Amino acid sequence: MIWQRVPPESGAAVMGLGVMSVAGHLAGFPVLSAVLLVVAAVLWALLGAAFLARLVFDNERWRSEAGRPGALTGVAGTGVLGLALALVLHGWSTGWIFLVLTALLWLGLMPRVLRGLATPTVGVSFLVCVGTQSLALLAGQLAADARSPFLLVVCAISAAVGLALYVLVLIRFDFRQVARGAGDHWVAGGALAISTVAVAKLHSAVRELAAPAELATAVRAIGIALWAITMCWYVVLALAELLAPRLCYDFRRWATVFPLGMTCTASFGTAAATGMVWMADAARLLLWPALLVLCLTAWGTIHHLATPKPSP
């Protein structure tokens, strides 16, 4: 059965494609954004079918894999795809559906992953933050669109929990992964990038709901600080790739696509929240290396799947 060969980490491809659709939309490339959105949606549906098939027909294996951090790519992929649909298609109803799905997946998978979180942690471990922040950013987007105080609270709580989980993983992180990781080490920076986007969405919701100016100022300051740290991570990880090249294909490179696209999106979000136009200009520059890595990773995946496997 095909669904038996799909690893739980496959949602990383949806995460990468979804966030690149959002970045393309914000950069002013609607056709690129729409194409990536369609591919991400189709892949999400296929992976969702595999997830349900394994849950029903191979429950023991599902329980085993549901405790791995990679399982949270399903949570993050659902949240990011929901954000892309809400932005590109202006689909409020679709956004709400994806928010509920993201919340249900988070509630079902997060406790299992946290119970089995190993020490020292590696790049994929930061998905506990990414999955939580995917819920925060989608709630923040819908809170601003619908002017919902309830979703504003959901966004704020999720963002705070996500940052706490980031610290939990960071203090146990094996920093040698920066030089040795096969792609998922980039999530150390990508988790902060999605946290920055979540805070930017929170700032938008705070302004839409006419919250106290002091609150908006505090959220704005947090967003700027997170963006600055995110950019530091970006520089460190990029330099590590240059000094210790890892050119062989690995599926975990989809976990590199996501942080690159999310850093671009974070720069657009922070620019909108702060009015610093130069951040948007920087975001447009960051889009191109993200697209390059996306194309290379997609080609590597297609080539890997199309190459006949030797008989045992």
Side-chain angles (χ1 to χ4, degrees):
M1 292 290 184
I2 295 178
W3 55 267
Q4 292 178 320
R5 299 198 298 268
V6 177
E9 294 81 6
S10 298
V14 178
M15 292 166 57
L17 290 164
V19 74
M20 288 304 298
S21 174
V22 172
H25 172 76
L26 296 174
F29 298 106
V31 175
L32 172 66
S33 178
V35 170
L36 293 175
L37 179 58
V38 169
V39 177
V42 170
L43 184 58
W44 177 84
L46 293 174
L47 293 177
F51 176 88
L52 292 175
R54 190 169 297 171
L55 175 64
V56 174
F57 298 111
D58 195 353
N59 190 260
E60 183 177 347
R61 181 180 173 187
W62 180 90
R63 288 176 179 274
S64 173
E65 294 180 343
R68 288 158 48 178
L72 294 174
T73 58
V75 180
T78 302
V80 171
L81 181 59
L83 175 66
L85 290 167
L87 284 174
V88 178
L89 302 180
H90 305 288
W92 280 23
S93 58
T94 305
W96 280 89
I97 292 171
F98 273 79
L99 178 63
V100 172
L101 288 174
T102 303
L104 290 174
L105 286 170
W106 188 90
L107 289 170
L109 295 174
M110 185 62 71
R112 295 174 178 271
V113 173
L114 289 176
R115 281 197 301 267
L117 197 62
T119 302
T121 56
V122 294
V124 71
S125 305
F126 284 100
L127 282 169
V128 299
C129 170
V130 173
T132 305
Q133 298 294 17
S134 68
L135 178 62
L137 63 85
L138 184 51
Q141 178 66 42
L142 294 175
D145 291 344
R147 296 188 177 182
S148 167
F150 170 73
L151 289 182
L152 173 64
V153 173
V154 172
C155 175
I157 293 175
S158 299
V161 172
L163 287 171
L165 290 172
Y166 183 85
V167 174
L168 174 69
V169 175
L170 184 65
I171 60 179
R172 304 158 73 184
F173 182 56
D174 179 5
F175 283 91
R176 292 174 296 180
Q177 290 292 311
V178 173
R180 300 177 183 176
D184 63 303
H185 59 290
W186 275 83
V187 187
L192 271 185
I194 192 173
S195 298
T196 305
V197 177
V199 171
K201 296 300 180 185
L202 178 62
H203 184 266
S204 297
V206 166
R207 288 191 301 180
E208 286 294 330
L209 289 163
E214 294 80 5
L215 178 59
T217 301
V219 173
R220 180 179 182 271
I222 293 171
I224 294 173
L226 288 175
W227 178 84
I229 302 171
T230 296
M231 295 309 300
C232 289
W233 261 117
Y234 188 99
V235 172
V236 169
L237 291 166
L239 288 175
E241 292 281 354
L242 293 174
L243 296 174
R246 284 144 275 182
L247 303 179
C248 295
Y249 169 75
D250 192 297
F251 186 80
R252 284 171 288 184
R253 274 301 177 191
W254 282 107
T256 302
V257 175
F258 172 77
L260 291 172
M262 192 57 77
T263 302
C264 174
T265 303
S267 298
F268 277 120
T270 308
T274 62
M276 298 179 183
V277 179
W278 64 268
M279 286 188 180
D281 295 333
R284 292 184 180 89
L285 292 175
L286 292 172
L287 178 66
W288 301 111
L291 279 173
L292 175 61
V293 175
L294 169 64
C295 292
L296 291 174
T297 304
W299 170 250
T301 301
I302 294 170
H303 183 267
H304 177 74
L305 293 175
T307 302
K309 304 299 184 295
S311 301

